[in-house]
Amino acid sequence: MGSPSGPPFDPDDPDRARRERDTEPIPRIDPDDGPGYGTGPRLSDGPSFSDDAGYGDGPAYAGEARSGRAWARDPEAGYLPPQISEEELAGLRADASGSAPRRVLPLEDEPSSLVARYLFPTERYRGEWKRHWIHLITPVLIGIAATFVLGYLSGFLAGQDVGALTTIAVLLWFGVMGWVAWRVADWWYDRFILTNKRVMVVNGIITRRVAMMPLVRVTDMKYEQTPAGRALNYGTFVLESAGQEQALREVKNLPNPNELYLRVVEEMYEPQAVEARLGKEQDEAKADDGA
């Protein structure tokens, strides 16, 4: 009968105690075993992860379920961005005060009769704008000054018994006020127009002037705002086309220049996105009318 493998038992071996300690089994930590181990959870109760954790159809982590986002797996293109839930989108539509984010939409769904005659059938209308009221500040101030000055002069001349001069002063006042009315009417018929193909400026009461520039020819566009323009929200647009002098190059006193700038730039660089957004808005409006 053979002896077991390994060195023979030696009670005086100094390494015997160390070998016995190293080969003892590790006891399982259990909070029910008694004091000294605390009341925390077992190691086996902690989170476990499978090989496909986070890549399945459902949420693999508790935080993912709370956020409403889940990563979708595409076998060909890798991993797609997380899908945003409707609850998260609702926070982007309006804040607590009721104000909504900026929506780049035309001011009117259809062009006015003044503008419609200059659009061809395949052209998509995007909006029209009158110049800012600051465009009328000079004629209005002249009219107010003329009213005070000529009114005082007419009263003074009436006391001097010079009826001819009084009549001249009154006629002069009517002439000034007629000029002011003409400038106001010219401002009313002056429009800046944006379509999916070009920008236009139409002005004039008796002699009509129509200037246009195709969007594909615009090489540079900027707007300028003076301190007064920033305070009153108006600016001057400058459009460049291949370094050439154009009929439509500088358009002064346009309202909401930042909004208008974004509209024009989006139409130049993202026309498909504009069409998709406007089509969706029209579908939602039709659905609301049907409801």
Side-chain angles (χ1 to χ4, degrees):
M1 188 174 181
S3 60
S5 61
F9 176 77
D10 185 359
D12 298 330
D13 186 1
D15 296 331
R16 180 174 62 83
R18 179 181 56 81
R19 286 198 301 271
E20 291 178 353
R21 183 176 66 252
D22 293 342
T23 56
E24 289 180 355
I26 299 175
R28 179 175 179 272
I29 299 176
D30 195 326
D32 299 332
D33 289 342
Y37 297 102
T39 58
R42 303 186 187 96
L43 295 178
S44 59
D45 294 334
S48 61
F49 304 95
S50 61
D51 294 337
D52 57 349
Y55 305 108
D57 295 334
Y61 303 98
E64 182 179 321
R66 289 193 299 268
S67 67
R69 301 184 181 182
W71 286 83
R73 186 173 185 175
D74 188 345
E76 297 181 356
Y79 296 96
L80 301 177
Q83 303 298 323
I84 303 177
S85 64
E86 285 297 326
E87 290 77 8
E88 292 172 310
L89 289 175
L92 300 176
R93 296 191 180 100
D95 56 18
S97 62
S99 60
R102 184 186 63 84
R103 300 170 63 190
V104 184
L105 297 175
L107 299 181
E108 299 291 342
D109 294 334
E110 297 293 336
S112 64
S113 58
L114 174 67
V115 173
R117 69 187 69 177
Y118 303 109
L119 305 180
F120 51 89
T122 59
E123 198 169 18
R124 299 293 184 89
Y125 170 79
R126 296 298 186 231
E128 61 185 82
W129 296 263
K130 293 191 295 289
R131 296 181 192 257
H132 195 270
W133 60 263
I134 200 69
H135 193 68
L136 297 174
I137 192 66
T138 300
V140 168
L141 291 178
I142 291 176
I144 294 173
T147 299
F148 280 100
V149 172
L150 294 177
Y152 174 80
L153 183 61
S154 297
F156 175 77
L157 294 176
Q160 300 297 322
D161 195 17
V162 284
L165 293 179
T166 303
T167 303
I168 292 175
V170 172
L171 292 177
L172 183 60
W173 179 82
F174 274 109
V176 173
M177 298 308 294
W179 175 78
V180 172
W182 179 272
R183 291 295 302 270
V184 172
D186 184 70
W187 166 80
W188 178 262
Y189 288 105
D190 189 351
R191 305 293 173 90
F192 179 85
I193 307 159
L194 173 64
T195 71
N196 66 328
K197 297 182 181 297
R198 54 181 173 159
V199 292
M200 293 188 295
V201 171
V202 177
N203 56 16
I205 300 175
I206 298 176
T207 302
R208 302 292 291 171
R209 294 179 294 272
V210 180
M212 59 83 65
M213 181 182 294
L215 291 177
V216 295
R217 295 286 303 277
V218 177
T219 58
D220 185 28
M221 184 182 68
K222 64 180 180 179
Y223 73 90
E224 302 172 352
Q225 280 187 293
T226 62
R230 295 182 63 184
L232 299 176
N233 197 20
Y234 70 90
T236 298
F237 271 69
V238 180
L239 296 93
E240 299 287 348
S241 177
Q244 300 176 359
E245 191 69 22
Q246 300 291 330
L248 177 59
R249 183 179 183 275
E250 185 176 273
V251 187
K252 297 181 178 180
N253 302 328
L254 286 176
N256 303 315
N258 186 69
E259 171 75 7
L260 184 55
Y261 176 82
L262 293 176
R263 290 173 187 249
V264 177
V265 170
E266 185 183 34
E267 196 64 52
M268 291 170 57
Y269 294 103
E270 296 291 343
Q272 294 84 1
V274 177
E275 291 287 346
R277 186 184 66 253
L278 295 180
K280 182 178 180 180
E281 293 292 334
Q282 292 175 359
D283 293 340
E284 291 179 355
K286 291 179 181 179
D288 293 339
D289 293 341

